[in-house]
């Protein structure tokens, strides 16, 4: 980036570190990223003013500016977790089942407890702290069917000024009564929550039908109606995760060409629609994902843990579909985006595909922002963007220190980081410029 004189610019904070951010997708650009080994990030009121070389700016900094020195650490834009479930935090790592049995045995009973606001508040606070501890600053988050659970997660995010996308789960069939709503109540509750939270500060509301098997046709209609009535809403759901699930959807909706076509029929495919998994899609489905502007949330730890299958990153790339990386806690087994990239790499290896470190960290930052349609305000350090960022310690463990000593390039360092790193590597996480988490 060009280092223009700083002297006349309003700024209140400067941060010294190494910096890496993406300006474009490494798949399509040879100059997709910028790395500054000894850099300075200048902020004003929580937004980026400029990013440049330390040597050029050190003697120009305005008097009284707050300088934070993270020399020796690597700063990146905060990570995006494009699909996760905060109520499932307490049942993460539950043994021995694939999707449909896992939902019945662990998920529904756990989610049933979230009518209790104080339990929801405590889980939401813990969840947000876990995000920050892992350098995740933006997430697409499922609540439960209970409106209280949505209030709890948005309140927890608001306290920290975090940009979260969330919404009330809609499900009115094929699940125990204690975890079901109705088409009518899901409409009324969603409207109340949209009016209370959508676009209040950094909160964004997502219409959240759990997945096609647990919504009646009438409820899927309601989801489409909400999207049309309130512009700017998100839509989040699950699709084509597991073979038994796909077969079940074919039985429930015999008139639809495919699982994805069920959602398409109810006009639930478009910009700001985020679909988790997308493992068992076909060519026509991928064309629809691409042309509609919907995004895939790639959930490798969940897909391996639940034995769901291997997502084909190359098929999605070939169709130029928006892709984000996602933990899918608690089907997923880690809050760490670094560990999620590790598993993503291995999923690609199993299919003879490759996930380069630069592509991986693009997916975790600018790619995530693009898949959530937040790239005009987040995802890199362009001037004017909101200063959510993670401070990474690449020598957090003895093993990493040894491995990094031999790393020959920033690519090599990043690859070792995503394979060996986890929350121990997160030295600090900043939201709108403020340090909200510090390892020490
Ligand atoms: N499909 C429907 N609900 C869920 C859920 O909670 N987790 C996962 N992984 N898949 C789902
Ligand atoms: Zn999920």
């Amino acid at each position: 980036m060009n280092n223009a004189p700083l002297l006349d610019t309003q700024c209140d904070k400067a941060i010294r570190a190494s910096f890496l951010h993406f300006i474009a997708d490494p798949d399509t650009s040879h100059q997709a990223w910028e790395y500054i080994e000894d850099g300075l990030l200048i902020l004003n009121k929580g937004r980026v003013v400029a990013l440049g070389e330390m040597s050029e700016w050190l003697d120009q900094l305005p008097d009284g500016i707050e300088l934070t020195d993270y020399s020796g650490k690597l700063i990146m834009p905060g990570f995006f977790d494009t699909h996760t479930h905060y109520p499932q935090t307490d049942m993460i790592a539950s043994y021995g089942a694939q999707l449909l049995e896992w939902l019945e045995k662990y998920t529904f009973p756990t989610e049933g407890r979230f009518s209790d606001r104080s339990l929801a508040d405590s889980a939401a606070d813990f969840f947000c702290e876990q995000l920050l501890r892992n350098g995740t600053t933006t997430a697409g988050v499922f609540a439960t069917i209970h409106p209280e659970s949505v209030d709890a997660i948005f309140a927890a995010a608001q306290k920290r000024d975090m940009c979260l996308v969330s919404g009330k789960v809609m499900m009115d069939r094929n699940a125990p009564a204690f975890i079901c709503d109705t088409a009518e109540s899901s409409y009324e509750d969603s409207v109340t929550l949209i009016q209370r939270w959508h676009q209040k500060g950094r909160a964004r509301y997502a219409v959240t039908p759990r997945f096609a098997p647990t919504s009646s046709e009438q409820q899927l209609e309601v989801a489409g109606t909400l999207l049309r009535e309130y512009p700017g809403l998100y839509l989040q759901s699950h699709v084509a995760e597991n073979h038994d699930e796909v077969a079940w959807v074919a039985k429930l909706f015999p008139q639809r060409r495919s699982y994805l076509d069920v959602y398409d029929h109810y006009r639930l495919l478009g910009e700001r629609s985020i679909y988790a998994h997308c493992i068992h899609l076909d060519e026509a489905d991928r064309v629809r994902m691409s042309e509609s502007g919907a995004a895939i949330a790639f959930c490798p730890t969940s897909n391996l843990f639940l034995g769901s299958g291997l997502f084909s990153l190359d098929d999605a790339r070939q169709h130029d579909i928006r892709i984000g990386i996602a933990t899918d806690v608690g089907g997923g087994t880690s809050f760490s985006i670094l560990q999620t990239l590790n598993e993503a790499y291995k999923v690609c290896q199993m299919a003879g595909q490759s996930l380069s470190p630069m592509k991986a960290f693009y997916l975790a930052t600018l790619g995530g922002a693009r898949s959530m349609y937040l790239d005009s305000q987040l995802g890199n350090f362009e001037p004017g963007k909101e200063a959510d960022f993670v401070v990474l310690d690449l020598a957090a463990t003895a093993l990493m220190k040894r491995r990094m000593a031999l790393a020959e390039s920033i690519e090599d360092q990043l690859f070792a980081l995503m394979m060996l790193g986890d929350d121990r590597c997160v030295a600090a996480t900043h939201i709108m410029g403020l340090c909200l988490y510090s390892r020490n």
Side-chain angles (χ1 to χ4, degrees):
M1 231 169 259
N2 209 3
N3 285 9
L6 271 179
L7 291 173
D8 301 333
T9 321
Q10 277 282 341
C11 42
D12 55 24
K13 268 187 194 156
I15 291 136
R16 180 179 189 176
S18 302
F19 291 89
L20 176 78
H21 70 149
F22 292 84
I23 295 108
D25 185 339
D27 279 349
T28 55
S29 167
H30 293 300
Q31 291 182 317
W33 45 273
E34 180 181 36
Y35 174 62
I36 304 179
E37 194 164 350
D38 187 9
L40 202 60
L41 180 68
I42 314 279
L43 307 180
N44 191 46
K45 296 193 171 82
R47 287 174 190 272
V48 175
V49 172
L51 173 65
E53 296 283 347
M54 183 68 193
S55 56
E56 288 180 45
W57 279 346
L58 186 56
D59 50 5
Q60 289 193 45
L61 288 178
D63 291 341
I65 194 169
E66 182 189 325
L67 176 65
T68 307
D69 193 349
Y70 284 123
S71 293
K73 305 282 190 295
L74 174 65
I75 292 185
M76 275 192 232
F79 297 141
F80 282 72
D81 184 348
T82 60
H83 175 98
T84 181
H85 301 250
Y86 94 84
Q88 295 178 18
T89 304
D90 293 347
M91 45 151 287
I92 192 169
S94 290
Y95 173 74
Q98 295 210 346
L99 177 65
L100 300 177
E101 187 195 348
W102 175 85
L103 287 171
E104 292 281 343
K105 196 166 162 183
Y106 301 114
T107 313
F108 295 156
T110 305
E111 293 193 7
R113 301 157 67 209
F114 279 72
S115 55
D116 177 343
R117 176 68 197 262
S118 70
L119 181 143
D121 279 335
S122 142
D125 272 323
F126 182 82
F127 175 86
C128 287
E129 290 305 310
Q130 285 294 309
L131 294 186
L132 293 171
R133 179 184 185 87
N134 283 282
T136 300
T137 51
T138 308
V141 185
F142 275 52
T144 66
I145 62 152
H146 313 97
E148 297 85 346
S149 75
V150 181
D151 288 332
I153 188 65
F154 277 132
Q158 190 177 52
K159 258 199 276 186
R160 297 164 175 86
D161 204 15
M162 290 174 76
C163 178
L164 292 196
V165 174
S166 189
K168 190 201 105 69
V169 170
M170 303 165 75
M171 50 193 292
D172 65 350
R173 65 166 174 169
N174 293 324
F178 67 84
I179 198 79
C180 283
D181 54 14
T182 65
E184 294 79 13
S185 74
S186 67
Y187 177 79
E188 284 156 20
D189 288 345
S190 298
V191 165
T192 305
L193 291 163
I194 290 162
Q195 289 171 345
R196 186 174 301 151
W197 292 109
H198 185 51
Q199 291 174 344
K200 299 286 156 58
R202 304 183 89 196
R204 300 287 180 272
Y205 193 86
V207 176
T208 307
R210 171 166 228 118
F211 66 157
T214 50
S215 284
S216 63
E217 300 199 31
Q218 198 192 346
Q219 188 168 58
L220 294 172
E221 288 278 4
V222 162
T225 303
L226 287 166
L227 291 181
R228 287 186 292 282
E229 285 180 351
Y230 296 91
L233 288 182
Y234 285 76
L235 180 289
Q236 54 181 358
S237 193
H238 301 88
V239 73
E241 176 177 5
N242 163 292
H243 284 300
D244 293 344
E245 170 211 22
V246 174
W248 191 19
V249 172
K251 262 199 191 145
L252 290 169
F253 299 90
Q255 65 282 36
R256 302 274 69 93
R257 196 199 65 78
S258 69
Y259 189 167
L260 190 76
D261 187 48
V262 175
Y263 298 125
D264 208 3
H265 178 76
Y266 294 99
R267 294 197 270 170
L268 303 180
L269 237 57
E271 297 183 359
R272 296 181 306 282
S273 301
I274 304 167
Y275 282 96
H277 310 301
C278 297
I279 298 169
H280 311 290
L281 295 184
D282 64 16
E283 178 74 11
D285 292 331
R286 291 192 183 94
V287 169
R288 280 301 295 142
M289 285 296 290
S290 179
E291 66 191 13
S292 68
I296 294 174
F298 173 22
C299 310
T301 73
S302 169
N303 297 162
L304 296 172
F305 179 71
L306 293 174
S308 302
L310 301 175
F311 172 71
S312 173
L313 186 64
D314 280 2
D315 284 337
R317 279 159 127 169
Q318 272 151 24
H319 285 85
D320 201 19
I321 302 170
R322 288 170 196 250
I323 307 162
I325 197 87
T327 63
D328 194 28
V329 162
T333 50
S334 174
F335 277 86
S336 170
I337 290 293
L338 299 174
Q339 275 309 293
T340 307
L341 295 176
N342 169 349
E343 299 299 312
Y345 176 80
K346 294 171 187 167
V347 166
C348 291
Q349 284 282 74
M350 289 300 292
Q353 302 179 6
S354 83
L355 175 61
S356 72
M358 284 303 174
K359 178 72 181 188
F361 283 95
Y362 165 80
L363 291 178
T365 58
L366 185 61
R370 284 181 172 168
S371 63
M372 296 182 78
Y373 286 80
L374 291 169
D375 50 306
S376 63
Q377 69 232 50
L378 286 165
N380 61 20
F381 296 124
E382 281 171 352
K385 289 208 177 174
E386 295 162 358
D388 290 356
F389 59 85
V390 53
V391 184
L392 292 159
D393 176 0
L394 274 55
T397 67
L399 176 63
M400 290 185 74
K401 208 167 171 177
R402 270 182 98 88
R403 172 65 179 82
M404 292 300 170
L406 288 183
E408 285 174 351
S409 62
I410 179 66
E411 286 93 335
D412 193 17
Q413 288 178 30
L414 289 175
F415 187 63
L417 172 66
M418 73 189 237
M419 299 313 292
L420 302 175
D422 54 31
D423 56 345
R424 291 170 295 179
C425 300
V426 176
T429 304
H430 287 236
I431 298 286
M432 297 296 287
L434 282 180
C435 180
L436 284 213
Y437 168 76
S438 170
R439 194 178 52 183
N440 307 318

